[in-house]
Amino acid sequence: MKLRIGLIGQGDAWQTRHRPALRVLHDRFDVRAVFSTVAKLAENTAAEFQADVVDGYRALVNRCDIDAVIVLQKNWLGWLPVLAACEAGKAVYWAGDLDFDPLRDAEVRSAVDESGVAFMVEFPRRFAPATLRLKELIATRLGAPKLMFCHRRLQATPANAMTNGVGNGVAGKPDSNVDPSRRELVELIDWCRYVVGCEPTTVSSVAHQSGGQTDYRCMSLAFPAHGDAPAVTAQVSCGSYIHSTWHEAAGFRPPSAMQISCQRGVAFLDLPSTLVWFDDAGRNMETLDTESPVGEKLLAQFHRSVTSLLRNMGDLNDAYQAVAIFEAAKQSEAEGRRIDLC
């Protein structure tokens, strides 16, 4: 079954992830309409996929030749395209940022739930070839995880940078409240939850402030023992302490995206497709470049979820849970204590 889709917005990953995937999966997706707040981008994309340019997101989601909507960017429109798609009964692929607010955005969750549409949140780290291979090794060679370390190093955003409408600010105006590491940390939290396979029970966090903004945050997640698997401690950190003018510094000796110590070995992951692991037999290096790219895996999963008779709300619930853990980490920083998540 070929899904007739509409594209809304154009995020940072359009050229590297979504555009190539849609080209390869042309037998499953037919791009019919494109809407973007930047008219030239919409025109270029529509011309490439022989689609129509529409003037608004409501016009797009209400077209009778649209089965599903792919939202590639959360701009100043916020959740309005998602709510409109739910009203129109159209499936949604959400590739915008994960700045869900468990309280303020409860209406979005309710709208998706009540509409009955398929809704998929993009978690690229889950579908990376290295992650999928790690899950296989945990089940076969390495055993259950015991310790995990995830670190992401970002370049600092200039104080006068424009937010382009992302976050709490107005389009084209600076927003001092935007935390550039928020999305990265939320995705890292979800990544740890996915690899461990259960929910953490406590979180503690510390943060470093510079110029009135948080430029480094480190949190510790405690996962309980379950079955034969031991308790797990995961350390998740992200920093934007490297100045934007220091161009080479951000890429200098970057740490592995994930280091994980298991019952029978250790592994080091570099996303998307490099995995080095050690057990009693020695060192093993796997370069999984021949696997399908992350974008293809994600969109193939979305196609499956839309055409399946079984509805899955897990992605949306996982997104809200990851954000709730992030907010608990901020509470831990403010109160100087460990926060229970149960």
Side-chain angles (χ1 to χ4, degrees), residues 283-296:
R283 179 177 184 266
N284 302 272
M285 181 173 180
E286 300 186 28
T287 303
L288 308 167
D289 293 332
T290 58
E291 299 289 328
S292 299
V294 174
E296 292 180 29

Side-chain angles (χ1 to χ4, degrees), residues 38-331:
V38 181
K40 187 60 177 177
L41 293 178
E43 292 171 3
N44 293 340
T45 302
E48 180 177 1
F49 288 92
Q50 298 181 346
D52 298 330
V53 177
V54 295
D55 294 332
Y57 66 91
R58 286 194 175 276
L60 185 147
V61 301
N62 287 312
R63 285 175 55 133
C64 61
D65 63 342
I66 295 293
D67 301 314
V69 176
I70 297 181
V71 183
L72 296 170
Q73 182 182 34
K74 183 184 178 183
N75 50 34
W76 60 269
L77 294 170
W79 300 112
L80 293 177
V82 172
L83 296 175
C86 291
E87 292 175 6
K90 306 298 172 68
V92 178
Y93 179 96
W94 178 260
D97 68 60
L98 299 179
D99 194 13
F100 294 86
D101 188 302
L103 298 177
R104 289 185 301 172
D105 296 333
E107 62 180 274
V108 178
R109 191 175 188 177
S110 298
V112 174
D113 191 22
E114 294 171 4
S115 68
V117 302
F119 189 98
M120 179 172 169
V121 178
E122 184 174 81
F123 287 118
R125 285 177 171 86
R126 288 187 179 196
F127 287 85
T131 302
L132 300 178
R133 176 56 177 153
L134 174 64
K135 293 282 281 185
E136 293 176 358
L137 290 171
I138 287 173
T140 56
R141 299 290 298 272
L142 296 177
K146 297 186 298 182
L147 286 170
M148 302 173 67
F149 303 91
C150 299
H151 180 67
R152 184 80 168 91
R153 194 167 64 195
L154 306 173
Q155 282 190 341
T157 303
N160 60 349
M162 299 299 172
T163 66
N164 295 321
V166 178
N168 300 320
V170 178
K173 294 184 179 181
D175 185 354
S176 59
N177 295 321
V178 172
D179 182 353
S181 66
R182 180 184 176 96
R183 174 170 184 169
E184 294 291 339
L185 284 165
V186 170
E187 289 192 11
L188 290 174
I189 290 169
D190 175 78
W191 195 23
C192 291
R193 293 170 58 244
Y194 178 73
V195 171
V196 176
C198 68
E199 296 293 339
T201 54
T202 65
V203 60
S204 61
S205 180
V206 294
H208 180 265
Q209 300 284 329
S210 178
Q213 291 186 331
T214 300
D215 63 357
Y216 179 77
R217 177 173 277 116
C218 179
M219 58 186 69
S220 179
L221 306 175
F223 295 84
H226 60 284
D228 296 331
V232 180
T233 297
Q235 185 183 89
V236 178
S237 58
C238 183
S240 53
Y241 45 83
I242 296 180
H243 199 279
S244 58
T245 58
W246 305 338
H247 301 294
E248 296 184 12
F252 181 71
R253 294 182 183 175
S256 297
M258 176 182 285
Q259 302 176 42
I260 181 167
S261 173
C262 301
Q263 291 172 315
R264 297 187 296 274
V266 296
F268 301 83
L269 278 72
D270 288 311
L271 297 180
S273 57
T274 301
L275 174 66
V276 180
W277 55 281
F278 301 80
D279 61 6
D280 291 340
R283 179 177 184 266
N284 302 272
M285 181 173 180
E286 300 186 28
T287 303
L288 308 167
D289 293 332
T290 58
E291 299 289 328
S292 299
V294 174
E296 292 180 29
K297 291 180 181 293
L298 287 164
L299 288 179
Q301 178 65 26
F302 178 59
H303 183 276
R304 190 176 301 116
S305 67
V306 175
T307 57
S308 172
L309 296 177
L310 298 176
R311 186 167 183 244
N312 178 22
M313 285 287 290
D315 284 352
L316 186 57
N317 293 332
D318 284 341
Y320 273 83
Q321 179 64 15
V323 173
I325 294 172
F326 178 84
E327 293 297 333
K330 292 174 64 177
Q331 179 186 351

